[in-house]
Amino acid sequence: VTCPYSEPKCDANFAMNAKRCRCGRTLRTCDACASGNRAFANFCRACGQKLAAPKSNWTGYRGGARRLGFNPHDCGTGRLARQSTLILNLGNECRALLASDGHLIAVAHNGTIEIADVAAGKSICHFQVQGPVTAQPCIHHGTLYLAAAGQLSAYSLGALTQTQPRVRPAWTVALGGTPIHALTPAGDRLYVTVASSSWREIQVIDNLTRPAPRSVHGAMRTSWLASERSTVAFFSQNDGESMRLHLHDRELVTRDVALQQVPDHPIAFAGGTIFGVFGDERRLDRIDASTGSVDEALFEDTQFFAVSADDEWDRELVVIDSSGVFLTHTAMRDTFGPYDRAVKGSPLIVRNSAVVIGMEDGRVRVYSAAQFPRHEAWLVGGGATAITAIASFENYVVAGNRDGVVEVRELA
Ligand SMILES: [Zn+2]
Ligand SMILES: [Zn+2]
């Protein structure tokens, strides 16, 4: 075994499924031959097999294209470590947090981007794009996709593992409007919602090395996008028409849905069913993606929710309503005080360990899954401005606030 980074003093004697090489650098282990590869590598250097991205990466808004708000890494305990692992200062409102292969990517509203090696506890790369960042970015196959100022750009992350860490700009395309919601990969394609004054268009890029966005569907109102494997799903509606559900893979399949109002909360896609908040009663419904019919009417008065799922939904949800938060499998509830407000992007589930909620008062609540509703509260950066982004990857929880302070804590 040789060190994938060719570190001269590294004996590369890492255990099976180790996350780090002996030299301390991040590994991507091959499922086929167990060789260790560099972070962000797409193919195994020993056998050429395609490498799967680590499951506990946080590759897009609410964790990734399924938008579950779920980190599948079981940390055992839901207790926060005393010391913060890392603090970054973006100098402008934190808009998005992504994590891949041990690297954290923090994106500010004005286009400032900071990339840190989390285990090393330091920032390794910093760059600036033209803001404002109006859509949530994503990472797909080792590339960062970022939509800002009417453009979509791709940055290759592989060069972050070099002695002089950096990102390589690959391409930029104009979108003809304002990118909104969240960039959504599905299979080898990438989807983006583009808004103009009274119209929204879902565009797809079929070939990510030669980008040529084309329209898939347009409507007056469209929901957020969510995808599972190679299928992307969204709802749309025009004035005076019923709402419709669209699935796009190679072609667009459309069904009428007997519900009112396109949801403004992100939808989630798990095990062939779609979760969304519909209507004036804000009811959380589970919809069969293949028929468009409501499989299950779950909870009214839903503000935010998170879904625990591997391939299939495991029947566990966390729901925030106007009086507090509850876990469906325990039926336990924590009632919020009159001034407690959860922020968008909440809640998150860390498998068997914790439920994480960003609050408007600048705190992050970390509930212990085993001892719910017991929780700890952590004030990000010691400031008192609202949490604007949260994420969880491996055994870390990270939150950023309106001042641009980003803090990483470990669940230990
Ligand atoms: Zn090494
Ligand atoms: Zn291999």
Side-chain angles (χ1 to χ4, degrees), residues 4 33 58 96 103 119 131 161 173 180 189 223 283 288 318 326 372 374 385 398 406:
C33 77
W58 192 266
H103 293 73
T161 62
V173 286
I180 58 166
R189 286 160 288 128
S223 73
R283 194 180 69 192
D288 185 326
V318 175
F326 62 97
F372 192 89
R374 184 188 286 187
T385 60
V398 53
V406 174

Side-chain angles (χ1 to χ4, degrees), residues 58 61-63 67-70 136 224 265-266 277 282 302-307 318-321 324-325 336 341-349 355-361 363-367 386-392 397-400:
W58 192 266
Y61 191 57
R62 308 226 12 91
R67 315 252 176 262
L68 307 178
F70 179 62
Q136 291 285 331
W224 290 65
H265 185 288
V277 178
R282 299 196 61 81
T302 301
Q303 290 182 349
F304 307 114
F305 65 92
V307 181
V318 175
V319 176
I320 296 176
D321 61 19
V325 56
F336 287 172
R341 299 256 186 289
V343 299
K344 284 180 195 166
S346 300
L348 309 182
I349 302 171
V355 172
V356 183
I357 304 177
M359 303 296 286
E360 240 172 52
D361 65 6
R363 288 182 165 77
V364 176
R365 289 191 182 192
V366 180
Y367 289 86
I387 300 301
T388 49
I390 57 171
S392 177
V397 174
V398 53

Side-chain angles (χ1 to χ4, degrees), residues 2-7 9-14 20-25 27:
T2 57
C3 172
Y5 294 97
S6 312
E7 292 281 352
K9 288 190 185 120
C10 179
D11 66 6
N13 211 347
F14 46 81
R20 304 218 150 237
C21 188
R22 279 292 273 270
C23 59
R25 306 187 67 178
L27 289 176

Side-chain angles (χ1 to χ4, degrees), residues 135-408:
Q136 291 285 331
C138 72
I139 298 170
H140 188 54
H141 294 165
T143 299
L144 168 68
Y145 295 96
L146 197 71
Q151 295 185 321
L152 174 61
S153 303
Y155 301 88
S156 166
L157 298 175
L160 285 173
T161 62
Q162 295 180 354
T163 323
Q164 298 274 306
R166 62 179 193 275
V167 296
R168 278 210 192 92
W171 48 256
T172 292
V173 286
L175 293 170
T178 306
I180 58 166
H181 294 159
L183 300 180
T184 306
D188 290 326
R189 286 160 288 128
L190 181 71
Y191 293 80
V192 54
T193 304
V194 179
S196 50
S197 56
S198 61
W199 195 249
R200 286 173 178 187
E201 211 170 73
I202 311 299
Q203 297 187 10
V204 63
I205 293 174
D206 298 286
N207 182 340
L208 288 171
T209 53
R210 297 171 66 194
R214 65 178 175 90
S215 177
V216 165
H217 183 74
M220 294 170 84
R221 288 175 295 282
T222 61
S223 73
W224 290 65
L225 307 168
S227 76
E228 189 167 58
R229 294 183 192 91
S230 63
T231 303
V232 73
F234 58 96
F235 296 90
S236 80
Q237 193 170 31
N238 292 312
D239 282 350
E241 293 177 7
S242 61
M243 187 166 61
R244 294 186 290 171
L245 167 66
H246 308 272
L247 299 183
H248 188 261
D249 192 333
R250 294 294 157 198
E251 48 191 43
L252 192 70
V253 177
T254 296
R255 316 218 179 278
D256 283 336
V257 179
L259 288 167
Q260 301 302 313
Q261 297 171 27
V262 165
D264 51 14
H265 185 288
I267 58 172
F269 200 166
T273 63
I274 297 166
F275 296 81
V277 178
F278 295 92
D280 290 331
E281 13 357 285
R282 299 196 61 81
R283 194 180 69 192
L284 175 59
D285 284 318
R286 193 163 70 86
I287 290 161
D288 185 326
S290 60
T291 63
S293 62
V294 177
D295 263 2
E296 210 171 346
L298 291 156
F299 303 100
E300 293 194 351
D301 184 34
T302 301
Q303 290 182 349
F304 307 114
F305 65 92
V307 181
S308 167
D310 284 310
D311 288 338
E312 298 286 318
W313 178 38
D314 62 18
R315 304 293 310 171
E316 186 179 335
L317 295 170
V318 175
V319 176
I320 296 176
D321 61 19
S322 52
S323 68
V325 56
F326 62 97
L327 272 60
T328 57
H329 73 299
T330 62
M332 299 276 272
R333 170 181 282 278
D334 187 37
T335 304
F336 287 172
Y339 301 107
D340 294 338
R341 299 256 186 289
V343 299
K344 284 180 195 166
S346 300
L348 309 182
I349 302 171
V350 185
R351 187 205 294 275
N352 298 336
S353 310
V355 172
V356 183
I357 304 177
M359 303 296 286
E360 240 172 52
D361 65 6
R363 288 182 165 77
V364 176
R365 289 191 182 192
V366 180
Y367 289 86
S368 154
Q371 291 164 301
F372 192 89
R374 184 188 286 187
H375 64 273
E376 300 171 87
W378 143 47
L379 190 61
V380 170
T385 60
I387 300 301
T388 49
I390 57 171
S392 177
F393 56 99
E394 300 170 31
N395 57 330
Y396 300 104
V397 174
V398 53
N401 69 17
R402 192 162 286 154
D403 290 341
V405 179
V406 174
E407 194 172 342
V408 183

Side-chain angles (χ1 to χ4, degrees), residues 30 32-35 37 44 46-49:
C30 176
C33 77
S35 290
N37 291 275
C44 177
C47 74
Q49 282 287 315

Side-chain angles (χ1 to χ4, degrees), residues 92 95 107-112 128-136 146-151 177-180:
N92 184 260
R95 220 25 244 282
V107 179
H109 184 247
N110 71 352
T112 297
Q128 180 78 41
V129 302
Q130 196 197 332
V133 176
T134 50
Q136 291 285 331
L146 197 71
Q151 295 185 321
T178 306
I180 58 166

